Amino acid sequence: MSKIRDRIEDINNNGRKALSIFLTSGFPTIESFVDNTNRIIDAGADIIELGMPFSDPLADGGVIQQSSQTALKNGITQKQTFQFAEKIKLKNDIPLILMGYANTLQKYGREQFEQDAINAGVDGLIIPDVPLEEFDDFFSPFSECLDKILLTTPTSSKERILKLDNKSNGFLYCVSVTGTTGVRDGFDNTIIENLKSTYQTVNKNKMLIGFGISKPENIKQLSPFADGFIIGSAIVNSLQNDGINSTVELVKSLSEACGK
Amino acid sequence: MTEKENKYSAPNENGKFGEYGGRFVPETLMSALYQLEATYNIAKSDINFINELNDLQKNYNGRETPLTFVKRLTEHFGKAKIYLKREDLNHTGAHKLNNTLGQILLAKRLGKNRIIAETGAGQHGVATATVCAKFGLQCTVYMGEVDVKRQEMNVFRMKMMGAEVIPVTSGSKTLKDATNEAIRDWVTNVNDTYYIIGSVVGPHPYPMIVRDFQAIIGDETKRQIKDVEGRNPNYIVACVGGGSNAIGMFYPFIDIDEVNLIGVEAAGYGVDTDKHCATLTKGSPGVFQGMNTYLLHDDEGQISEVHSISAGLDYPGVGPEHSYLNDLKRVRYSSVTDDEALQAAVKLSQLEGILPALETSHALAYLEYLMPKTKSDEIVVVNLSGRGDKDLNTLMEQIKF
């Protein structure tokens, strides 16, 4: 039923880890966005997460906050983000996920949002400020073809991880550390032990690790405890400071580390 | 004049006030919210906790605060009798300590040794720095860069008490951005850190906990007005930013229908400009900083950069319980402009020798609209939420004698 899950399974069955790349919609410019995304997919991204810019992104660190501000200054709208999704899906047969904050859906109209997302070819949603407790009231029960991906974190108990796993569709997003998105120096033993135990607990879904993953070394180190990886801030940072050519090289190296 | 049975029971077990409130936060914080709720539910009926808090409220904070009949202000309008609930006479100069004293005891119970807070006007930051000094806990306060400048006295007060003040440079550099940064800090350091939220905002259980600690304002007022007048007031007026002084005053009166409750928001340059914070007057429901509530935001759901002369009201959201009371029409919400608030500050100072905070001045300014409609045998209570010493810089810029 889930295109996202099927794709991750295929990739894993071929002995590789899935690589999901996060891009802030409309960043660094509206004009370059679709071309950049196509090049990043060609370089080895298996899944694209399209970040919907929000003025007050609570779960994000400085890099993604600033990219959101830039995109908003560029004049990005939700309609345009849906159009980007459509264009990307026309050219590429890969799962596409929208990631953003509850108020974007709320103001758009929650059911209309889900319908327009499905019409644009979107496969899943990640809304970090809609936790398990708000899930049933917030999301439409009628849009089963749109996966709602939940997050588990180092503060989630084992019992809760099972609930999250049960409710999540597409995959389970495992947040590696407490904190906001952003590049980190490395992962200590406590974090590794926690990831290991989470990976053992999760049984319904594939588990992708995100937050703080920036280099091929991170992927190699954590590969035994994940079905795939999500890279955001490192990519946005590279687009900001080094440009698309360097970003394509970074994606290639991350893809290789995933076993390609 | 009998009180009806207690029928108002919000929030429900999911932290919802009607459709408002809730827990719209990243997963990382969920376990901390559950822990806080469980700890609070035990503490609030624990006699040791109650006694310790009562002792602090009396012997450290200086409660109970007076209910002052203001004769000259009453004569000025020539209508209903006006009383002021003197929250300005609390230790540190505003109602904020009512809440921080309660929350610091919860932090202690939870075994946290690092405290963080957000602040707008600096009053909540000062109240947090104060209780951290008293209890020997490490304190970090996030404050928008704009507010750091317009409230420099309070910044220095916090530093005097050993707190670290971190200026926030993102967004509009005011209260909402300080709150974002505090939440990000909490998400990162949730294991050893307690977040003392300063108003009835944020995810459940905060709006409920802060309300309960502030309800001492309304509880005392109810008793005091009965003592002097033998009855309930006809009108109660309070300013609303996040809305903690207002809810603390209103809550004990919610089930008493004959008491008219009026919340006054900041209209800035006017509600027909884009420079105001009249959230309930001009906003619409949305999800922000952990809660579903009325917000000022654009068609895309991007949060607006709002304005008020008073840093404590300069916030694009409002406590979810106010959104609920607004929809129930139990509280009437109105707004007054920067200029009206300034005139009210001068008026109270000159007629009564009480210099109110700019936040509070919004409630006082509303008397210009309310008083002509009142009768001389009626009673109006204004919650005088804070004193204006902290606003002298702004007042000196705005008022020429």
Side-chain angles (χ1 to χ4, degrees):
Chain A
M1 277 300 281
S2 162
K3 176 169 181 160
I4 303 169
R5 190 200 161 84
D6 290 350
R7 184 59 56 91
I8 298 169
E9 242 165 36
D10 284 350
I11 292 165
N12 288 167
N13 289 343
N14 287 324
R16 295 184 285 119
K17 303 295 176 186
L19 177 65
S20 183
I21 297 291
F22 172 96
L23 296 164
T24 303
S25 177
F27 174 85
T29 68
I30 286 176
E31 294 71 29
S32 64
F33 187 75
V34 173
D35 282 348
N36 281 355
T37 308
N38 287 335
R39 290 187 62 188
I40 284 166
I41 294 167
D42 290 343
D46 298 307
I47 301 170
I48 290 291
E49 289 176 25
L50 220 49
M52 303 179 285
F54 180 50
S55 54
D56 296 79
L58 275 186
D60 284 304
V63 170
I64 293 177
Q65 281 177 45
Q66 275 156 30
S67 71
S68 303
Q69 284 302 319
T70 303
L72 290 171
K73 273 190 200 129
N74 292 343
I76 189 73
T77 64
Q78 190 52 40
K79 290 264 183 232
Q80 267 172 318
T81 297
F82 284 138
Q83 284 164 11
F84 287 160
E86 252 183 287
K87 285 184 186 161
I88 293 161
K89 291 291 278 200
L90 262 178
K91 220 170 158 228
N92 308 278
D93 176 34
I94 71 162
L96 189 72
I97 295 165
L98 294 181
M99 182 161 184
Y101 290 85
N103 202 45
T104 303
L105 284 74
Q106 177 92 351
K107 190 71 183 183
Y108 195 95
R110 296 193 306 250
E111 281 194 22
Q112 188 63 49
F113 183 98
E114 292 197 33
Q115 196 51 58
D116 287 1
I118 292 165
N119 292 344
V122 172
D123 301 290
L125 298 178
I126 303 174
I127 312 295
D129 59 347
V130 180
L132 202 53
E133 282 69 9
E134 304 294 345
F135 191 101
D136 289 335
D137 285 346
F138 195 83
F139 292 117
S140 161
F142 307 110
S143 58
E144 279 177 3
C145 48
L146 190 63
D147 289 338
K148 317 295 173 356
I149 296 150
L150 283 167
L151 299 91
T152 178
T153 70
T155 60
S156 311
S157 65
K158 188 169 177 181
E159 191 192 0
R160 197 167 161 90
I161 294 171
L162 289 169
K163 282 188 196 162
L164 293 164
D165 185 27
N166 185 48
K167 197 83 176 174
S168 192
N169 281 307
F171 63 87
L172 185 66
Y173 189 136
C174 176
V175 177
S176 62
V177 291
T178 59
T180 53
T181 57
V183 173
R184 284 165 175 83
D185 289 339
F187 298 95
D188 64 23
N189 280 339
T190 322
I191 296 171
I192 303 267
E193 283 308 312
N194 185 62
L195 292 172
K196 208 184 278 183
S197 125
T198 305
Y199 192 54
Q200 281 162 3
T201 305
V202 174
N203 57 41
K204 189 192 109 182
N205 279 292
K206 293 287 185 178
M207 182 181 111
L208 271 55
I209 298 180
F211 282 43
I213 316 275
S214 63
K215 323 186 259 278
E217 293 87 313
N218 302 140
I219 290 178
K220 284 178 186 150
Q221 184 189 14
L222 303 180
S223 268
F225 332 113
D227 301 311
F229 296 92
I230 300 161
I231 328 280
S233 296
I235 300 291
V236 172
N237 196 39
S238 169
L239 282 169
Q240 169 78 44
N241 295 318
D242 308 322
I244 180 65
N245 291 335
S246 300
T247 307
V248 164
E249 292 310 310
L250 174 61
V251 173
K252 280 182 186 162
S253 70
L254 295 165
S255 176
E256 269 164 34
C258 284
K260 281 157 216 189
Chain B
M1 209 168 292
T2 53
E3 286 174 26
K4 278 188 276 175
E5 266 180 60
N6 215 24
K7 59 182 178 179
Y8 182 87
S9 63
N12 69 14
E13 69 280 6
N14 298 318
K16 294 284 171 80
F17 301 88
E19 66 184 281
Y20 303 106
R23 286 173 282 217
F24 290 90
V25 291
E27 169 67 17
T28 310
L29 296 179
M30 288 307 302
S31 64
L33 293 178
Y34 278 117
Q35 220 185 4
L36 172 58
E37 188 179 358
T39 302
Y40 174 67
N41 283 335
I42 293 168
K44 72 177 181 187
S45 49
D46 176 345
I47 193 69
N48 293 322
F49 180 88
I50 296 167
N51 286 342
E52 187 175 7
L53 183 57
N54 284 346
D55 178 65
L56 287 164
Q57 295 291 14
K58 183 177 178 208
N59 297 312
Y60 186 68
N61 196 11
R63 300 202 73 94
E64 66 178 35
T65 59
L67 183 70
T68 305
F69 172 62
V70 278
K71 187 163 174 283
R72 292 189 70 209
L73 190 68
T74 298
E75 285 167 3
H76 168 80
F77 287 109
K79 294 281 191 171
K81 288 170 86 170
I82 304 170
Y83 286 86
L84 303 180
K85 178 59 174 166
R86 301 293 304 282
E87 293 300 300
D88 59 321
L89 296 178
N90 281 308
H91 181 39
T92 74
H95 67 290
K96 293 295 186 185
L97 206 72
N98 300 336
N99 167 45
T100 58
L101 281 171
Q103 286 203 55
I104 200 82
L105 296 184
L106 293 177
K108 262 178 53 184
R109 285 197 162 213
L110 285 159
K112 310 285 184 185
N113 47 31
R114 178 174 179 265
I115 302 293
I116 57 169
E118 84 295 339
T119 198
Q123 286 303 108
H124 174 60
V126 167
T128 304
T130 300
V131 295
C132 287
K134 180 157 178 61
F135 287 90
L137 299 177
Q138 190 194 333
C139 181
T140 299
V141 178
Y142 290 91
M143 187 169 188
E145 202 178 44
V146 170
D147 295 335
V148 167
K149 286 197 187 106
R150 61 179 162 178
Q151 302 286 345
E152 60 177 333
M153 305 276 245
N154 271 344
V155 174
F156 196 75
R157 283 169 82 190
M158 288 184 261
K159 289 179 178 169
M160 280 291 290
M161 289 180 283
E164 175 192 22
V165 180
I166 301 183
V168 174
T169 55
S170 58
S172 56
K173 305 178 178 64
T174 60
L175 179 55
K176 92 172 165 79
D177 310 284
T179 307
N180 286 340
E181 280 314 309
I183 295 174
R184 289 186 186 116
D185 180 316
W186 200 33
V187 171
T188 308
N189 302 300
V190 62
N191 289 325
D192 69 348
T193 298
Y194 182 90
Y195 179 19
I196 299 191
I197 293 186
S199 191
V200 285
V201 297
H204 179 67
Y206 280 105
M208 173 182 77
I209 290 177
V210 177
R211 174 196 72 192
D212 290 355
F213 288 143
Q214 291 293 359
I216 194 168
I217 303 172
D219 286 333
E220 285 180 6
T221 302
K222 207 176 192 179
R223 204 167 53 234
Q224 290 168 316
I225 199 76
K226 281 254 168 71
D227 285 349
V228 285
E229 296 283 353
R231 64 181 183 92
N232 284 312
N234 301 84
Y235 298 93
I236 298 180
V237 187
C239 66
V240 177
S244 70
N245 91 79
I247 216 82
M249 177 57 114
F250 295 162
Y251 183 59
F253 291 97
I254 284 179
D255 283 326
I256 309 170
D257 289 343
E258 72 264 22
V259 181
N260 294 290
L261 305 174
I262 300 160
V264 185
E265 298 189 305
Y269 297 152
V271 291
D272 296 323
T273 70
D274 60 356
K275 299 274 181 224
H276 65 81
C277 316
T279 312
L280 290 163
T281 312
K282 299 290 276 191
S284 63
V287 178
F288 179 56
Q289 294 184 340
M291 57 186 166
N292 181 27
T293 192
Y294 276 79
L295 299 176
L296 293 167
H297 48 169
D298 68 14
D299 293 342
E300 291 274 312
Q302 308 298 343
I303 307 303
S304 305
E305 297 204 350
V306 296
H307 162 82
S308 170
I309 193 167
S310 115
L313 303 182
D314 203 345
Y315 185 66
V318 65
E321 190 161 17
H322 286 291
S323 294
Y324 181 51
L325 293 169
N326 179 60
D327 283 8
L328 290 178
K329 301 197 188 324
R330 177 62 190 96
V331 179
R332 197 147 51 81
Y333 294 89
S334 188
S335 60
V336 302
T337 63
D338 287 354
D339 286 344
E340 291 173 309
L342 283 167
Q343 285 162 24
V346 175
K347 186 176 278 183
L348 189 73
S349 301
Q350 299 191 347
L351 287 176
E352 297 290 346
I354 297 170
L355 171 58
L358 280 173
E359 291 77 12
T360 313
S361 301
H362 287 72
L364 294 163
Y366 185 75
L367 294 176
E368 303 290 333
Y369 299 95
L370 175 67
M371 295 315 293
K373 295 183 215 154
T374 62
K375 302 189 197 85
S376 55
D377 62 349
E378 291 185 320
I379 299 165
V380 174
V381 174
V382 179
N383 193 19
L384 202 84
S385 54
R387 63 178 181 235
D389 309 41
K390 70 179 174 64
D391 294 313
L392 284 173
N393 278 349
T394 308
L395 292 169
M396 284 163 75
E397 277 169 26
Q398 299 285 335
I399 297 166
K400 301 286 170 238
F401 291 106

